[in-house]
Amino acid sequence: GNFAQREQSADVSITINGETLQTDTPPTIENNRTLAPMRAIFEALGCTIEWDDETKTVTAAADDGTVITLTIGEMFAMKNGEVLELDCAAKIENGRTVVPVRFIAEALSCTVNWNNDARCVEIEK
């Protein structure tokens, strides 16, 4: 109902090493998972990304050689060719591709903490 809708749009922020991540569209919460705009989160974590519009697949390459691929709507991702289960698929929302923040950060060897009081995903890289 309406309550759930309001709950989802409650403001959430993401910090990386204490700096607030600037995104052109705010992060959202869905099923207790924080989703952030793909490009913003990958680039903030030092990745270069390529988007394949035909397959709706993003490939992110980190400076340490890690390569992650995610396809819109799939419940798994690849990290260096290994299949990782997702509990939340990447999707397109308002023309923006959004991805599960915790998965991205952990796949890039970051520590992730949810600060419930501040409604903030804290990432340490």
Side-chain angles (χ1 to χ4, degrees):
N2 289 338
F3 177 74
Q5 287 306 108
R6 277 206 303 279
E7 178 60 32
Q8 287 194 350
S9 62
D11 285 343
V12 187
S13 59
I14 298 169
T15 60
I16 297 173
N17 298 336
E19 296 281 315
T20 300
L21 175 68
Q22 301 299 325
T23 56
D24 53 6
T25 150
T28 56
I29 289 192
E30 191 167 297
N31 303 332
N32 294 323
R33 296 284 173 258
T34 303
L35 296 169
M38 167 183 78
R39 188 171 291 276
I41 187 76
F42 274 121
E43 289 181 348
L45 293 172
C47 293
T48 49
I49 67 173
E50 284 176 30
W51 172 251
D52 182 331
D53 206 45
E54 266 180 50
T55 58
K56 298 281 184 273
T57 301
V58 58
T59 304
D63 42 24
D64 67 358
T66 302
V67 176
I68 298 169
T69 56
L70 280 156
T71 302
I72 299 300
E74 297 283 5
M75 290 304 285
F76 66 90
M78 303 291 284
K79 176 183 175 179
N80 299 336
E82 173 193 349
V83 177
L84 299 178
E85 300 283 326
L86 294 177
D87 48 16
C88 171
K91 59 188 211 163
I92 295 179
E93 214 167 60
N94 305 329
R96 289 270 184 260
T97 301
V98 293
V99 294
V101 173
R102 179 179 288 276
F103 165 77
I104 302 302
E106 288 179 350
L108 294 168
S109 310
C110 300
T111 339
V112 184
N113 176 52
W114 168 249
N115 180 330
N116 202 42
D117 295 336
R119 297 190 61 76
C120 177
V121 178
E122 299 167 338
I123 299 172
E124 294 296 323
K125 186 176 186 287

